[in-house]
């Protein structure tokens, strides 16, 4: 029974066909290309009085006069009914036997499936059974092929690990990630591919996952030359014939990690930039107010009194002195910066100046809109006006380039 | 003209290639290793890690008398004297040196016992602690990393560039090659200022090439090798005038299991337990038919004759050294039985005959000599009588190419017309021929690869340019 279970292990999943295989009253023997039985159903075991069947020669078991499958095939052509006489113990039984080619499964390509039935049963459902068994075999071959294709062709590494933490299958991507040929990777202990901590994490996942569940983790991978690198693993669990297996999808995330670090750095930098920019905007506003205040003060303290005095007197000489004084005071109103100012820039409004500063700092239109809370159309109008005032209209001069050397501290 | 430039360009990342690279680096050369597969190591990394060394430290410890001459003699016997004597001498004389190099320089760990393999007259075979060639390949790869020796993967040699003046100046590779697609990869020209070393291994998996050499070895016969064991490297050398030698000598391994693909885990079981401590019988007769410790060729010929169903049988005392036993049992490659009767029934062996066979073999064991096939019986050999009993079903698989390009004692490849060395071209490992003659002894390939890899590396680094 143990051996029977073992050979059945190769089958994927439990299907309708399997139920038939297990419960039919027909004897079903699946025979490998070497003429040796690789699978037999419970009924066959029963009829053969629980003798071992798997591993025995098909020909010998049924007294077919040859163990060579080729010869048996010639003698008992496919898809015909053959009557055979089999001695079991002291008894001689007569069976109807039907032999069909076994398709699909690569190591059984040339094998056959034999369905025998006792000539006594009331209902002859051989045809039914046979066609369904063929479907089973084909379905399985198909499924195997599909799984195989998926396994081989996905872009990520896949490792299939069993309860002993042994790698029982690996695809070429996994082989490339760890620098170990598939032939070597299969049969290798999983612990070779990671460090103690990684193994602990994996063991944790293995122990906690229920069938069909999925978990991810990032651990350290080991290349065959000792190089260590970050890997992302997605672990699932499948149960198969009372044994657990864990398919692990592996991705080398060295590049992703490097990219993440770079991205973090970039984000930090741009955050800093934003802070600086809003500070700039704030200081512009503050400057503006201070200057206004200064001008107000000057106008109040010197300009207005001078004007009053000038209007009060009729003395031409005094008037002219005051006129000069006022002119002087007017110049002083802007003193301290006017010398360095671009004549054109002086024509700009406060908003326009602010925009110039942000343009100078290299911000994009979209960023300016966000920072200054402007609609894009509004910004475009401002830009147009700025260009006009600076005499750039119609000239092929980029505003940022023009402003580059200028003092915008108006 | 050239995209990249190095002093020494090594092609192939197995034992031979990596030994070459490490020695050439040691000799002061800049080195690159080219490997066509997506992972390094070739057959070397999947091999059994069995290493023959004559007059080794362990032999001395165990009181086993051996010498390079005796190893050479064993090699000639298996090789039917088709071996080139001068090359054999070098391998035998430097075998213990090469072993020491792996221990002292690379830190390779070996089991503290020796094995006797078929065709060897004494126990002289070391085995890595993990019973695999990866036990040597990993430390080699680590050493390459430490020394910044680049191993370029998916880089397939497609042409060796030989100038009209006769000198080899570099190689053309397909970079980004995806085995086995002939169309993949883009050409890249790599100059070798001092030398190109060919270490591309054998061609056991090149069905087209091997069936041309020996039509019997068609696609129906499996192989123990990795899929990349194909002939392009060898062919590139032949194209520029290298001398081919004994290409039809292709060895099959007698110890591989019919219940798994390739070398698997069963081969080591047969090598370490089934053959030395058990018997090989034909399931159809229940009788032995060959000396289980004869050379591989003799065993394989006997197995293939009369289409035998070969099964190796041993008992619990015989599996003492079978390091892969648990994996074999787990995969159903080796089966365990409580009685010989049970073993006979399940393997379809005629019980009466098998009992007679075992009884007679046990008598040979107690007599100390094999009455039937002259198998050398080891001192610690015990009768097959202690349950549980073990059986493994065997089928020969294509394993090793004795043939290849001809080299001289300095590891230089010889020109087919002049019989002189081709300046700037060296070769080492399984891609070379002539060392093992008609049949290679087990565990001598690794020794050969290490010895000639090191020679080629040293000489290539010193080649004037
Ligand atoms: C399963 C197995 C077990 C073995 N066990 C043992 C053992 O225990 N003891 C022992 O002594 N011997 C053993 N051998 C034999 C021995 O392992 C090999 O002969 C030896 O490893 C060859 O080494 P190498 O460096 O010459 O070639 P390899 O190790 O095969 O390396 C050659 C490399 O070159 C690459 N290559 C090929 N063509 C090109 C190209 N055109 N361009 C770029 N790269 C290329 C290949 O992909 C490969 O990686 C075993 C062999 C096998 C297959």
């Amino acid at each position: 029974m143990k051996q029977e279970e073992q050979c059945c292990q190769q089958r994927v999943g439990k299907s309708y066909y399997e139920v038939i295989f297990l419960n039919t009253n027909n004897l079903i023997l699946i025979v490998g290309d070497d003429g040796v039985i690789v699978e037999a159903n419970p009924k066959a075991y029963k009829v053969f009085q629980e003798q071992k069947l798997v591993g025995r020669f098909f020909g010998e078991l049924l007294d077919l006069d040859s163990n060579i499958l080729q010869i048996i095939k010639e003698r008992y052509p496919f898809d015909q009914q053959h009557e055979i006489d089999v001695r079991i113990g002291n008894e001689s039984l007569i069976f109807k036997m039907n032999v069909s080619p076994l398709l699909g499964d690569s190591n059984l390509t040339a094998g056959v499936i034999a369905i025998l039935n006792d000539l006594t049963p009331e209902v002859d459902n051989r045809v039914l059974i046979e066609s369904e068994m063929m479907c089973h075999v084909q379905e399985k071959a198909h499924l195997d092929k599909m799984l195989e294709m998926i396994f081989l062709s996905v872009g990520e590494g896949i490792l299939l690990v069993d309860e002993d933490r042994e790698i029982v299958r690996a695809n070429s991507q996994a082989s490339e990630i760890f620098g170990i040929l598939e032939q070597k990777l299969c049969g290798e202990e999983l612990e070779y591919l990671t460090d103690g901590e990684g193994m602990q994490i994996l063991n944790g996942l293995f122990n906690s996952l229920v069938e069909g569940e999925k978990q991810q983790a990032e651990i350290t991978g080991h290349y065959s030359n000792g190089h260590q690198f970050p890997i992302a693993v997605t672990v699932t669990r499948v149960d198969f014939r009372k044994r657990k297996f864990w398919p692990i999808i592996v991705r080398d995330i060295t590049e992703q990690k490097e990219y993440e670090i770079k991205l973090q750095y970039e984000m930090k930098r741009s955050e800093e930039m934003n802070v600086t920019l809003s500070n700039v905007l704030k200081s512009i506003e503050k400057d503006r107010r201070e200057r206004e205040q200064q001008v107000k003060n000057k106008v109040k303290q010197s300009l207005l009194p001078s004007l009053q005095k000038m209007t009060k007197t009729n003395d031409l000489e005094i008037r002219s002195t005051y006129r000069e004084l006022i002119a002087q005071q007017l110049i002083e109103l802007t003193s301290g910066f006017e010398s360095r100012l671009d004549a054109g820039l002086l024509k700009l409004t406060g908003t326009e100046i602010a925009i110039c500063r942000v343009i100078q700092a290299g911000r994009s239109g979209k960023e300016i809109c966000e920072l200054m809370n402007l609609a894009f159309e509004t910004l475009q109008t401002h830009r147009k006006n700025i260009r006009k005032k600076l005499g750039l209209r119609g000239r092929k001069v980029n505003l940022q380039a023009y402003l580059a050397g200028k003092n915008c501290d108006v | 003209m050239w995209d990249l430039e190095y002093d020494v360009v090594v092609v192939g990342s197995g034992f031979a290639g990596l030994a070459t690279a490490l020695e050439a680096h040691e000799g002061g050369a800049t080195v690159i290793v080219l490997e066509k597969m997506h992972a390094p190591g070739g057959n070397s990394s999947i091999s059994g890690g069995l290493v023959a060394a004559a007059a080794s430290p362990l032999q001395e410890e165990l009181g086993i008398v051996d010498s390079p001459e005796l190893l050479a003699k064993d090699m000639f016997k298996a090789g039917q004297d088709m071996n080139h004597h001068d090359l054999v001498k070098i391998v035998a004389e430097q075998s213990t040196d090469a072993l020491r190099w792996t221990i002292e320089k690379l830190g390779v760990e070996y089991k503290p016992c020796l094995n006797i393999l078929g065709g060897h007259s004494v126990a002289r075979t070391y085995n890595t602690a993990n019973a695999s060639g990866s036990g040597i390949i990993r430390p080699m790869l680590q050493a390459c990393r430490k020394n910044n020796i680049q191993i370029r993967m998916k880089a397939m040699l497609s042409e060796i560039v030989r100038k009209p003046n006769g000198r080899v100046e570099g190689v053309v590779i397909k970079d980004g090659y995806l085995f086995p697609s002939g169309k993949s990869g883009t050409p890249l020209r790599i100059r070798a200022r001092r030398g190109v070393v060919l270490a591309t291994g054998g061609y056991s998996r090149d069905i087209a090439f091997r069936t041309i050499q020996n039509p019997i070895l068609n696609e129906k016969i499996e192989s123990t090798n990795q899929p990349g064991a194909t002939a392009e490297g060898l062919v590139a050398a032949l194209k520029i005038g290298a001398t081919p030698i004994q290409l039809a000598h292709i060895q099959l391994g007698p110890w591989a299991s019919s219940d798994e693909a390739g070398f698997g885990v069963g081969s080591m079981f047969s090598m370490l337990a089934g053959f030395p401590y058990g018997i090989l019988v034909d399931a159809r007769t229940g009788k032995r038919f060959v000396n289980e410790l004869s050379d591989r060729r003799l065993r394989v010929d006997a197995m293939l004759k009369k289409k035998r169903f070969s099964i190796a049988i041993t008992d619990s005392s015989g599996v003492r050294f079978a390091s892969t036993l648990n994996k074999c049992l787990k995969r159903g490659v080796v089966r365990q039985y409580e009685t010989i009767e049970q073993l006979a029934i399940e393997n379809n062996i005629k019980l009466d005959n098998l009992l007679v066979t075992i009884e007679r073999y046990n008598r040979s064991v107690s007599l100390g000599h094999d009455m039937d096939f002259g198998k050398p019986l080891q001192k610690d050999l015990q009768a097959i009588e202690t349950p549980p009993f073990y059986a493994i079903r065997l089928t020969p698989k294509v394993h090793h190419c004795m043939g290849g390009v001809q080299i001289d004692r300095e590891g230089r490849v010889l020109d087919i017309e002049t019989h002189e060395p081709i300046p700037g071209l060296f070769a080492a490992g399984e891609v070379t021929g002539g060392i093992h003659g008609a049949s290679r002894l087990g565990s001598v390939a690794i020794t050969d690869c290490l010895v000639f890899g090191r020679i080629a590396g040293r000489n290539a680094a010193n080649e004037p340019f």
Side-chain angles (χ1 to χ4, degrees):
Chain A
M1 218 41 206
K2 194 171 157 240
Q3 200 168 1
E4 184 201 335
E5 203 175 284
Q6 194 175 35
C7 76
C8 289
Q9 256 188 28
Q10 298 176 351
R11 294 212 313 272
V12 178
K14 188 173 174 124
S15 66
Y16 171 56
Y17 305 111
E18 208 166 352
V19 175
I20 294 174
F21 179 83
L22 295 173
N23 300 316
T24 177
N25 267 322
N26 290 250
L27 285 64
I28 304 176
L29 299 170
I30 296 178
V31 183
D33 58 354
D34 51 2
V36 172
I37 296 168
V38 295
E39 207 167 334
N41 70 343
K43 177 71 178 179
Y45 277 94
K46 199 163 166 206
V47 171
F48 282 96
Q49 298 165 356
E50 308 289 340
Q51 290 180 41
K52 285 289 172 191
L53 297 178
V54 170
R56 294 183 63 176
F57 282 109
F58 172 62
E60 188 243 49
L61 181 73
L62 301 182
D63 302 329
L64 300 180
D65 288 322
S66 174
N67 279 338
I68 316 271
L69 195 59
Q70 197 52 42
I71 295 174
I72 296 174
K73 283 182 189 167
E74 277 162 27
R75 211 167 289 168
Y76 301 95
F78 288 150
D79 301 325
Q80 287 178 23
Q81 299 267 339
H82 307 284
E83 269 192 23
I84 57 165
D85 196 343
V86 183
R87 290 187 64 81
I88 298 174
N90 297 328
E91 270 186 87
S92 178
L93 294 181
I94 297 174
F95 289 104
K96 231 187 326 181
M97 177 173 79
N98 187 282
V99 183
S100 316
L102 189 56
L103 303 174
D105 202 332
S106 64
N107 43 26
L108 295 172
T109 24
V112 297
I113 172 167
I115 297 173
L116 298 110
N117 66 38
D118 222 327
L119 282 176
T120 38
E122 315 108 59
V123 192
D124 179 1
N125 56 354
R126 183 196 59 76
V127 179
L128 182 71
I129 301 274
E130 184 201 323
S131 69
E132 288 185 340
M133 280 314 294
M134 288 313 297
C135 279
H136 162 65
V137 168
Q138 275 170 9
E139 184 192 66
K140 169 182 161 1
H142 199 65
L143 193 66
D144 279 358
K145 219 184 240 164
M146 262 167 47
L147 289 174
E148 189 73 8
M149 289 280 286
I150 293 169
F151 194 79
L152 293 177
S153 56
V154 296
E156 291 157 319
I158 305 181
L159 302 167
L160 187 65
V161 175
D162 73 4
E163 286 169 351
D164 300 329
R165 310 297 188 250
E166 181 188 327
I167 297 158
V168 290
R169 290 269 344 241
N171 67 354
S172 79
Q173 285 79 2
S175 156
E176 185 171 346
I177 290 172
F178 295 103
I180 303 172
L181 288 170
E182 289 95 305
Q183 284 82 356
K184 182 69 209 156
L185 205 46
C186 296
E188 194 77 278
E189 313 300 329
L190 183 62
E191 64 184 25
Y192 275 118
L193 306 184
T194 181
D195 54 11
E197 195 187 334
M199 208 50 220
Q200 221 173 347
I201 293 173
L202 289 174
N203 275 327
L205 294 181
F206 292 162
N207 293 335
S208 67
L209 279 174
V210 295
E211 193 181 11
E213 199 191 344
K214 186 162 90 179
Q215 288 269 12
Q216 292 178 335
E218 283 182 15
I219 58 175
T220 302
H222 286 182
Y223 194 77
S224 56
N225 68 0
H227 171 65
Q228 303 191 357
F229 55 98
I231 52 175
V233 291
T234 307
V235 187
T236 49
R237 182 180 126 186
V238 290
D239 290 11
F240 189 58
R241 294 269 151 190
K242 296 205 188 103
R243 284 174 59 87
K244 295 178 205 136
F245 292 88
W246 293 273
I248 307 181
I249 298 174
V250 185
R251 254 177 333 118
D252 179 348
I253 52 169
T254 308
E255 273 176 29
Q256 186 190 319
K257 277 274 156 201
E258 280 167 5
Y259 182 74
E260 268 172 23
I261 290 169
K262 229 162 83 191
L263 204 72
Q264 263 171 16
Y265 173 76
E266 289 283 334
M267 269 165 65
K268 215 174 129 210
R269 224 175 64 113
S270 79
E271 241 165 56
E272 282 167 7
M273 284 281 274
N274 280 346
V275 170
T276 332
L277 264 169
S278 76
N279 285 345
V280 167
L281 287 177
K282 267 186 214 147
S283 76
I284 290 174
E285 185 60 21
K286 199 173 140 218
D287 269 15
R288 194 180 60 77
R289 274 203 214 112
E290 277 174 7
R291 296 245 164 89
E292 253 172 27
Q293 197 56 47
Q294 268 176 17
V295 173
K296 255 191 217 158
N297 288 347
K298 277 191 180 163
V299 169
K300 218 157 95 191
Q301 283 162 13
S302 22
L303 210 59
L304 285 181
S306 302
L307 267 174
Q308 255 165 14
K309 281 177 189 154
M310 198 177 82
T311 36
K312 274 184 193 153
T313 180
N314 291 324
D315 184 335
L316 267 176
E317 205 170 319
I318 294 172
R319 282 178 81 122
S320 105
T321 314
Y322 273 114
R323 208 181 53 224
E324 269 168 39
L325 189 63
I326 288 169
Q328 183 64 33
Q329 280 169 338
L330 273 173
I331 290 168
E332 272 177 10
L333 254 186
T334 60
S335 77
F337 47 85
E338 82 278 19
S339 51
R340 279 169 281 122
L341 281 181
D342 193 285
L345 285 174
L346 278 174
K347 297 181 205 151
L348 302 184
T349 67
T351 313
E352 286 165 352
I353 288 284
I355 290 173
C356 281
R357 289 190 195 184
V358 195
I359 290 176
Q360 207 182 21
R363 297 270 121 175
S364 72
K366 206 170 142 228
E367 284 169 320
I368 298 171
C369 290
E370 272 167 22
L371 280 165
M372 304 189 54
N373 213 356
L374 295 174
F376 193 70
E377 291 73 38
T378 321
L379 176 66
Q380 288 305 90
T381 317
H382 282 306
R383 271 195 173 135
K384 227 169 44 210
N385 292 338
I386 293 169
R387 291 185 71 90
K388 196 161 127 195
K389 290 184 186 169
L390 296 181
L392 297 177
R393 217 172 44 177
R395 282 168 61 190
K396 275 194 183 153
V397 177
N398 174 296
L399 195 53
Q400 194 194 346
Y402 177 84
L403 290 170
K406 298 278 189 283
N407 176 6
C408 294
D409 281 335
V410 177
Chain B
M1 173 77 198
W2 301 104
D3 299 307
L4 294 169
E5 198 169 302
Y6 297 86
D7 290 335
V8 176
V9 174
V10 182
V11 193
S13 64
F15 294 130
L18 297 182
T20 304
L22 289 168
E23 285 291 333
H25 174 83
E26 181 102 4
T30 58
V31 182
I32 187 170
V33 180
L34 305 171
E35 169 57 55
K36 74 172 175 208
M37 301 302 280
H38 51 276
N43 276 335
S44 303
S45 67
I46 64 168
S47 74
L50 295 159
V51 189
S56 68
L58 258 184
Q59 282 182 324
E60 199 185 315
E61 213 173 283
L62 300 171
I64 297 168
V65 182
D66 193 12
S67 66
E69 291 71 36
L70 188 57
L71 170 56
K73 208 175 128 200
D74 289 343
M75 287 172 74
F76 294 141
K77 186 170 171 216
Q80 295 189 306
D81 241 339
M82 289 182 191
N83 327 53
H84 286 234
H85 281 224
D86 51 342
L87 302 179
V88 170
K89 223 177 124 204
I90 290 175
V91 171
E93 275 171 1
Q94 299 188 19
S95 57
T96 292
D97 241 22
L99 175 87
R100 279 182 191 280
W101 180 72
T102 64
I103 298 171
E104 286 155 20
K105 190 91 185 173
L106 303 171
V108 172
E109 288 174 33
Y110 293 96
K111 294 181 201 167
C113 57
L114 290 176
N115 305 281
I116 181 158
L117 298 194
H120 290 272
S121 41
V122 294
R124 59 163 73 99
T125 297
Y126 278 68
N127 196 194
T128 50
N130 73 343
S132 162
S134 66
I136 305 174
I137 283 292
R138 276 169 181 272
M140 283 180 129
L141 291 171
Q142 275 162 16
C144 286
R145 188 166 80 99
K146 237 181 265 157
N147 291 307
N148 280 322
I149 299 170
Q150 191 201 341
I151 302 176
R152 195 181 184 105
M153 241 53 80
K154 300 184 183 174
M156 157 135 126
L157 169 81
S158 53
E159 187 190 330
I160 299 173
V161 181
R162 190 177 183 188
K163 284 290 145 82
N165 67 7
R167 196 173 193 287
V168 164
E169 301 225 307
V171 296
V172 182
I173 64 165
K174 283 183 183 165
D175 195 39
Y177 174 75
L178 298 174
F179 178 84
S181 159
K183 289 197 194 91
S184 60
T186 50
L188 194 73
R189 302 175 66 85
I190 305 180
R191 181 173 174 214
R193 277 187 293 259
R194 294 182 187 274
V196 170
V197 185
L198 196 66
T200 49
Y203 44 86
S204 290
R205 288 289 290 267
D206 199 322
I207 292 167
F209 194 88
R210 82 178 191 216
T211 32
I212 292 168
Q213 305 306 327
N214 181 353
I216 295 167
L217 303 181
N218 59 24
E219 77 286 348
K220 292 206 186 94
I221 303 191
E222 252 201 83
S223 169
T224 60
N225 284 208
Q226 63 115 349
T230 49
E232 310 91 348
L234 173 63
V235 170
L238 298 181
K239 269 191 188 162
I240 56 121
T243 309
I245 176 168
Q246 301 173 343
L247 297 181
H249 288 172
I250 301 170
Q251 177 178 79
L252 286 80
W255 19 246
S257 156
S258 52
D259 293 309
E260 64 179 341
F263 192 70
V265 287
S267 301
M268 287 299 272
F269 175 86
S270 318
M271 260 188 266
L272 301 179
F275 289 160
Y277 298 106
I279 51 173
L280 178 62
V281 300
D282 180 347
R284 296 185 309 177
T285 62
K287 292 180 182 158
R288 288 173 72 206
F289 54 90
V290 71
N291 162 7
E292 293 86 351
L293 286 182
S294 59
D295 153 63
R296 289 175 179 170
R297 192 180 47 82
L298 297 175
R299 276 178 285 171
V300 167
D301 287 352
M303 285 165 79
L304 291 176
K305 208 163 28 185
K306 301 191 191 161
K307 288 212 152 221
R308 299 187 199 270
F309 288 93
S310 305
I311 298 187
I313 297 168
T314 185
D315 68 357
S316 61
S317 75
V319 297
R320 271 170 298 164
F321 305 116
S323 41
T324 58
L325 178 62
N326 286 339
K327 282 190 178 162
C328 288
L329 290 171
K330 179 171 157 189
R331 296 185 197 179
V333 167
V334 170
R335 302 221 173 134
Q336 180 178 324
Y337 308 93
E338 284 317 308
T339 61
I340 291 288
E341 285 72 19
Q342 200 194 352
L343 185 152
I345 290 169
E346 286 187 22
N347 288 286
N348 211 29
I349 308 174
K350 290 222 159 46
L351 176 63
D352 296 347
N353 291 4
L354 182 61
L355 288 173
V356 170
T357 301
I358 292 177
E359 195 189 303
R360 194 170 161 81
Y361 175 76
N362 287 347
R363 221 168 61 224
S364 287
V365 172
S366 64
L367 287 174
H369 78 97
D370 177 4
M371 299 182 286
D372 300 310
F373 297 98
K375 173 179 178 179
L377 303 180
Q378 286 186 273
K379 276 193 237 132
D380 60 349
L381 194 62
Q382 293 172 18
I384 301 176
E385 59 187 12
T386 323
F389 301 95
Y390 299 90
I392 179 169
R393 307 197 291 177
L394 305 175
T395 187
K397 297 181 186 174
V398 179
H399 184 59
H400 188 87
C401 300
M402 274 73 71
V405 294
Q406 191 191 7
I407 52 168
D408 69 3
R409 282 181 295 186
E410 303 299 330
R412 299 168 189 285
V413 177
L414 300 181
D415 184 286
I416 190 158
E417 274 177 342
T418 63
H419 309 306
E420 293 292 324
I422 298 173
L425 185 61
F426 299 79
E430 201 175 327
V431 73
T432 67
I435 295 168
H436 304 286
S439 178
R440 169 177 73 78
L441 285 180
S443 74
V444 183
I446 297 184
T447 313
D448 166 22
C449 290
L450 294 174
V451 167
F452 271 105
R454 296 183 66 203
I455 291 175
R458 280 195 294 262
N459 290 335
N462 281 327
E463 182 84 353
F465 69 94

